Amino acid sequence: MPFYGFNRPDAKVSEGIRRNWWRQGMMGSIQAQYECIRVLSETDFFDDLKSIDIPVFVMHGEDDQICPFPASGAKSIKLLKHGTLKTYPGLPHGMPTTHAELINGDLLEFIRS
């Protein structure tokens, strides 16, 4: 389960998160899930970032195996007019689920600023 970093050595696998991931997969259409991944992997959204003129908080796990930081977060922050970047060493793509207690404080601080 690379989405949550559960495939890493010494990862602490949450059975609840694992089962919820399975549940979400079983609730959707396999065709819709395939098309979602296909479109997301084939569409370049980077040009859209250039037109955003409000503050944006880019939060990115440095161990994101789904959207690796160098190809996504690092590139995104360069295109935003008012972007703030916060990276998290060792955190996966699913960090809002696995590390909510860590990132929620940073998100709230950004919103308050």
Side-chain angles (χ1 to χ4, degrees), residues 10-103:
D10 300 321
K12 295 179 183 173
V13 178
S14 164
E15 186 62 19
I17 292 173
R18 192 188 68 74
R19 287 183 183 206
N20 189 50
W21 183 255
W22 178 88
R23 180 193 60 79
Q24 291 176 55
M26 294 297 101
M27 289 177 61
S29 153
I30 191 64
Q31 183 64 35
Q33 293 168 358
Y34 171 82
E35 289 299 324
C36 176
I37 298 301
R38 185 187 64 76
V39 169
L40 285 174
S41 66
E42 294 175 0
T43 306
D44 184 349
F45 295 101
F46 288 115
D47 282 341
D48 296 339
L49 296 175
K50 296 175 188 175
S51 65
I52 299 173
D53 60 2
I54 60 171
V56 175
F57 190 37
V58 177
M59 305 170 83
H60 208 109
E62 292 180 12
D63 191 31
D64 187 331
Q65 300 171 69
I66 308 305
C67 299
F69 177 73
S72 54
K75 188 172 179 180
S76 296
I77 196 64
K78 293 176 183 177
L79 299 172
L80 292 163
K81 293 177 183 139
H82 306 287
T84 299
L85 175 65
K86 173 76 179 190
T87 62
Y88 298 87
L91 294 195
H93 189 79
M95 67 183 189
T97 300
T98 59
H99 294 83
E101 73 290 343
L102 176 62
I103 69 169

